[in-house]
Amino acid sequence: MKNIRNILCIGAGYVGGPTMAVIADRCPEYRVTVVDIDPERIRAWNSPRLPIYEPGLQEVVERCRGRNLFYSTDIPAGVREADVIFVSVNTPTKTFGHGAGRAADLQFVERTAREIVEYAQEGKIVVEKSTLPVRTAQALSRVLQANGKGLRFPIVSNPEFLAEGTAIQDLTFPDRVLIGGTDDPEGQEAVETIAQIYTHWIPREKLVTTNLWSSELTKLVANAFLAQRISSINSISALCEKTGANVDQVSQAVGMDSRIGPKFLQAGIGFGGSCFRKDILNLAYLCEHYGLPEVAQYWESVVDINDYQARRFVEKILEAMFNTVTEKKLAILGFAFKANTGDVRDTPALAVCQRLLAERATLAICDPKALDNARKELGDAGGRVTYHQDPYQACQDAHAILLLTDWPLFQTLDYPKILQGLPRPAFLFDGRNCLDHKALFEMGYNVYPTGSPPWTHFL
């Protein structure tokens, strides 16, 4: 088994940053270095204000930074000194060429492999941490092994299963850690070397070892199954609104079935984040590539329902507000794709806001952690979008309040006070079903939940 002293992570994003911080915290005898080509991102990791918000991350970084956790843009030095290299670079969906809109864009993975070949002076274990299509390790191996230096680079697949908002908890107390490698002695030794890192704080029985292909595919399948549950309950929410049923009651009863369970059965305006859509479309693309069009179509329908849910939410707003929001101020409570993160990648709030802007609404956006990212996505839209840290300021004089992210802050606002500053009739659309709809109705709001009939004062 390889003796580890130095661990390198290439990529300082939402996966690499928290993962390496926890490894450094739990393995003080290792020197852990995180490198990235973006100097601004590295400066942020070395500053009091980290580039990403994640509960508990700041404390872990501050315990380790400068002790055995380092952030740098010096990729050549990092590669030369490392014993193990985690590859955690971006793998977005292709936007051009063959497979555009569905296949994973692996240009950054290939570029990283070539950098490893260029700068390495001895063999390294290379760990796939990015979410990759099945059999990517085969292509990666071709680049690494054709190095002309006689160096060996065994590849291990170690996908992450982190949920934003609970990443530190997920890393500290994971359901399982998946480690995939080749079946030859070199591959199995590499798997055991990576396993030894995690056994510093994770029970051995939670380490699951597989072959490379199973590990790569498992990550795509896990995200696809989670997203499928969200789209399933969201499709039922549409039926509940038509029939008078209550989706919260339905999901509670269904989730009590031990064969199903309650997780990811909360109706809303749709899933978001960096992984679900990307991984499902990549899975569908792989199915088509291997001659399984019916399977591809099945998984694509999960994304279709997600898009439909955001579109349906806007249509409900228009129908309730006399079929027009032109020149009306709408207060947007929440822009991040979920609470406890500032991440707005694929957030359903963006789709909702873009549709409302197309209807010539004026938006006042409030989010505790995502305002900077929201600005990057929407700008000021010709003066029709404003940004507020204070939710009361965002709601002042609003023709409707739209709750799009389930931040605890929004669940404890003084809604009677807010109501005093609203034109009548006062509308509130709860896209996350996290408010007390009956109480709001009794205050004087016309309340539109997701997946149940509205509470209105209209005839």
Side-chain angles (χ1 to χ4, degrees):
M1 186 176 67
K2 188 177 180 66
N3 183 34
I4 298 177
R5 290 169 299 147
N6 296 309
I7 295 174
L8 176 71
C9 179
I10 301 178
Y14 280 85
V15 174
T19 301
M20 292 303 113
V22 170
I23 289 177
D25 194 37
R26 297 293 175 144
C27 307
E29 71 271 31
Y30 299 155
R31 178 186 175 94
V32 180
T33 304
V34 183
V35 295
D36 200 283
I37 60 173
D38 185 348
E40 288 299 322
R41 178 176 288 180
I42 292 300
R43 268 194 287 272
W45 279 110
N46 283 316
S47 77
R49 185 179 180 185
L50 303 184
I52 62 175
Y53 172 74
E54 189 66 41
L57 177 61
Q58 186 86 33
E59 293 80 359
V60 176
V61 169
E62 289 179 353
R63 277 199 300 270
C64 303
R65 190 170 54 195
R67 182 193 73 187
N68 69 324
L69 176 62
F70 303 90
Y71 300 95
S72 172
T73 56
D74 192 348
I75 296 175
V79 171
R80 284 194 301 269
E81 296 167 4
D83 302 307
V84 172
I85 300 176
F86 285 80
V87 177
S88 188
V89 297
N90 194 19
T91 54
T93 302
K94 285 188 72 174
T95 58
F96 58 90
H98 184 67
R102 301 168 80 213
D105 186 345
L106 300 180
Q107 61 172 306
F108 303 111
V109 173
E110 181 182 352
R111 187 181 304 167
T112 299
R114 295 188 184 280
E115 287 177 331
I116 293 171
V117 167
E118 180 179 357
Y119 303 126
Q121 297 172 344
E122 58 183 3
K124 324 275 183 182
I125 296 174
V126 176
V127 183
E128 296 177 333
K129 200 65 181 171
S130 304
T131 303
L132 299 167
V134 66
R135 302 200 77 87
T136 298
Q138 189 176 58
L140 196 59
S141 178
R142 289 173 184 166
V143 175
L144 292 170
Q145 307 307 351
N147 58 78
K149 302 177 183 180
L151 304 180
R152 300 292 298 169
F153 295 96
I155 298 175
V156 171
S157 172
N158 176 218
E160 53 83 18
F161 297 98
L162 307 180
E164 290 187 44
T166 59
I168 300 302
Q169 179 78 5
D170 296 339
L171 286 163
T172 307
F173 304 103
D175 293 334
R176 77 296 200 198
V177 173
L178 183 59
I179 307 171
T182 55
D183 292 329
D184 55 87
E186 180 184 60
Q188 291 305 296
E189 181 181 354
V191 167
E192 180 58 25
T193 298
I194 302 307
Q196 286 299 317
I197 297 173
Y198 289 106
T199 55
H200 281 72
W201 76 96
I202 296 171
R204 189 79 194 203
E205 60 268 21
K206 288 198 171 185
L207 304 186
V208 179
T209 58
T210 68
N211 67 33
L212 270 172
W213 324 129
S214 295
S215 181
E216 289 178 335
L217 184 57
T218 296
K219 171 60 178 177
L220 295 181
V221 172
N223 279 344
F225 271 52
L226 294 175
Q228 177 199 50
R229 287 173 67 90
I230 296 172
S231 283
S232 293
I233 197 63
N234 281 340
S235 71
I236 298 304
S237 75
L239 182 60
C240 287
E241 290 177 21
K242 294 293 186 182
T243 60
N246 184 306
V247 73
D248 289 339
Q249 295 173 358
V250 172
S251 64
Q252 181 184 18
V254 169
M256 291 175 71
D257 189 321
S258 61
R259 298 167 300 173
I260 298 172
K263 293 185 177 180
F264 284 79
L265 286 182
Q266 288 73 47
I269 55 172
F271 57 73
S274 64
C275 292
F276 281 179
R277 180 186 301 269
K278 174 173 70 74
D279 291 353
I280 293 170
L281 293 175
N282 186 218
L283 181 62
Y285 179 76
L286 285 170
C287 292
E288 280 199 351
H289 174 77
Y290 288 106
L292 302 168
E294 293 84 359
V295 181
Q297 185 178 21
Y298 172 80
W299 286 111
E300 284 182 330
S301 70
V302 173
V303 175
D304 292 341
I305 288 292
N306 196 60
D307 294 339
Y308 163 72
Q309 189 73 348
R311 185 171 68 248
R312 194 173 70 82
F313 184 74
V314 174
E315 290 171 354
K316 179 163 58 177
I317 294 168
L318 290 171
E319 182 179 355
M321 299 185 69
F322 320 109
N323 206 37
T324 180
V325 290
T326 301
E327 305 300 328
K328 292 178 180 177
K329 177 182 176 181
L330 306 180
I332 307 297
L333 298 185
F335 198 87
F337 83 93
K338 61 184 289 190
N340 295 316
T341 180
D343 196 353
V344 302
R345 288 176 292 179
D346 200 35
T347 176
L350 177 59
V352 168
C353 288
Q354 287 174 331
R355 287 183 175 275
L356 292 171
L357 288 171
E359 295 287 341
R360 301 187 180 181
T362 297
L363 308 181
I365 298 175
C366 176
D367 190 287
K369 296 295 179 180
L371 285 188
D372 288 345
N373 288 329
R375 284 190 185 93
K376 292 175 184 176
E377 294 292 340
L378 289 175
D380 70 351
R384 290 194 288 123
V385 181
T386 56
Y387 300 91
H388 308 270
Q389 284 290 346
D390 183 354
Y392 295 99
Q393 185 182 42
C395 292
Q396 181 67 36
D397 297 321
H399 292 84
I401 297 171
L402 283 54
L403 194 149
L404 304 187
T405 310
D406 54 338
W407 285 99
L409 167 66
F410 301 144
Q411 300 171 45
T412 58
L413 295 178
D414 187 344
Y415 283 98
K417 174 183 174 181
I418 290 174
L419 183 62
Q420 294 174 11
L422 303 184
R424 305 303 174 92
F427 294 93
L428 192 152
F429 299 87
D430 187 355
R432 296 295 183 180
N433 278 0
C434 60
L435 302 178
D436 186 334
H437 303 143
K438 181 181 179 182
L440 288 165
F441 169 75
E442 291 174 349
M443 291 175 201
Y445 288 94
N446 295 285
V447 185
Y448 292 78
T450 299
S452 61
W455 297 71
T456 69
H457 297 277
F458 306 132
L459 295 175

